[in-house]
């Protein structure tokens, strides 16, 4: 099925460990996004990528890095995990490009539940 | 900085009740306001609103936008237990990245 695939679905890390969350879409979308969702906070944008080879910071980028490996894949890396990064992470993609002012609809992945102990 | 505020934060109603969820926004160069429903996993799209006063409707759900007062409402009539979810409001400006509100958690009881 076409869509956004995130891996892993669940992960437990110890403080200081590193890991990469993977995201891939097969809809030929231009833009990809990483959000985190915490109770009472809604979804907050971590990083986004308007197109292959470009990335930009969102609202809460500290402690994260991203790579837009190609048009399909956008990964999120935690270099040194902290308990404050315990959250549910969503990847999303859209056909539209930031700055063009158009909205084509977001497709979300099913999320990664990360716990840092 | 763009901002979206939803109210109430949570709501418990009985099956059959009608509910109204609120969303206000402050977005630079506003383009659209969107409503999503989130059950156990990823948000699923409900409505996109770009023009004031034009109601969007899908079954028992409807939504309307007021661009003068900078708010939107989502109405659900004859609620069912399957409507229990978090309802998210989001807005876009000149960039297509979404700014989300904190969500309203709706619980519909028998």
């Amino acid at each position: 099925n076409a869509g956004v695939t995130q891996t892993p679905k669940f992960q437990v890390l110890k403080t200081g460990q590193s890991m990469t969350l993977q995201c891939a879409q097969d809809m030929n979308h231009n833009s990809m996004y990483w959000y985190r969702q915490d109770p009472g906070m809604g979804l907050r944008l971590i990083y986004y990528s308007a197109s292959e080879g470009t990335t930009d910071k969102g609202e809460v980028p500290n402690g994260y890095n991203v790579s837009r490996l190609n048009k399909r894949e956008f990964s999120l890396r935690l270099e040194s995990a902290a308990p404050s990064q315990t959250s549910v992470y969503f990847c999303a993609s859209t056909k539209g490009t930031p700055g063009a002012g158009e909205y084509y609809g977001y497709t979300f992945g099913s999320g990664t539940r990360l716990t840092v102990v | 900085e763009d901002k979206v505020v939803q109210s109430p934060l949570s709501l418990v109603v009985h099956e059959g009740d009608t509910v109204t969820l609120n969303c206000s926004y402050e977005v630079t160069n506003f383009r659209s306001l969107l409503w999503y429903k989130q059950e156990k996993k990823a948000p699923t799209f409900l409505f996109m609103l770009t023009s004031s006063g034009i109601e969007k409707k899908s079954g028992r759900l409807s939504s309307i936008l007021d661009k003068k007062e900078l708010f939107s409402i989502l109405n659900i009539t004859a609620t069912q237990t399957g409507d229990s979810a978090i309802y998210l409001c989001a807005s876009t400006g000149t960039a297509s990245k979404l700014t989300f509100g904190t969500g309203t958690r709706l619980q519909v009881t028998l």
Side-chain angles (χ1 to χ4, degrees):
Chain A
N1 290 338
V4 177
T5 303
Q6 284 184 240
T7 56
K9 293 190 187 307
F10 301 94
Q11 183 72 49
V12 178
L13 290 178
K14 293 183 179 178
T15 297
Q17 286 185 316
S18 63
M19 80 161 294
T20 299
L21 307 185
Q22 306 287 353
C23 176
Q25 52 90 11
D26 57 5
M27 297 168 286
N28 202 36
H29 283 172
N30 293 320
S31 303
M32 298 184 73
Y33 307 80
W34 277 105
Y35 285 88
R36 60 178 287 174
Q37 185 174 32
D38 303 297
M41 300 293 288
L43 277 80
R44 293 183 292 168
L45 182 64
I46 305 171
Y47 270 94
Y48 66 100
S49 169
S51 60
E52 184 179 349
T54 68
T55 61
D56 285 286
K57 295 179 181 179
E59 184 185 352
V60 288
N62 291 344
Y64 304 95
N65 284 303
V66 290
S67 295
R68 183 75 181 267
L69 304 169
N70 47 56
K71 193 169 187 179
R72 290 186 65 247
E73 298 172 289
F74 188 38
S75 62
L76 178 72
R77 182 159 178 85
L78 287 71
E79 292 290 352
S80 179
S84 61
Q85 293 178 305
T86 293
S87 189
V88 179
Y89 291 85
F90 287 101
C91 178
S93 71
T94 183
K95 178 181 173 184
T97 301
E102 298 150 327
Y103 179 76
Y104 293 95
Y106 272 37
T107 302
F108 284 85
S110 57
T112 296
R113 185 174 293 276
L114 175 67
T115 302
V116 183
V117 297
Chain B
E1 187 177 319
D2 295 345
K3 189 176 177 183
V4 175
V5 178
Q6 292 185 247
S7 64
L9 292 180
S10 66
L11 193 56
V12 180
V13 301
H14 293 295
E15 200 171 45
D17 287 349
T18 293
V19 298
T20 298
L21 309 183
N22 303 297
C23 175
S24 64
Y25 62 91
E26 294 176 25
V27 175
T28 302
N29 297 321
F30 172 83
R31 294 284 181 172
S32 61
L33 187 131
L34 301 104
W35 286 96
Y36 285 81
K37 179 182 181 181
Q38 186 179 25
E39 297 174 89
K40 291 187 177 177
K41 291 190 175 180
T44 54
F45 175 75
L46 293 174
F47 297 111
M48 183 175 76
L49 302 151
T50 57
S51 301
S52 273
I54 298 175
E55 185 183 55
K56 291 279 183 92
K57 197 170 172 66
S58 175
R60 295 175 295 101
L61 278 66
S62 63
S63 184
I64 198 161
L65 175 69
D66 185 327
K67 290 171 75 173
K68 183 180 177 185
E69 300 297 332
L70 307 183
F71 79 90
S72 174
I73 59 172
L74 175 68
N75 280 320
I76 309 175
T77 60
T79 52
Q80 302 171 357
T81 54
D83 295 326
S84 296
I86 296 173
Y87 290 83
L88 297 165
C89 174
S91 188
T92 64
T94 47
S96 64
K97 53 188 171 81
L98 294 175
T99 299
F100 282 89
T102 55
T104 294
R105 182 180 293 274
L106 173 66
Q107 184 179 350
V108 181
T109 62
L110 291 172

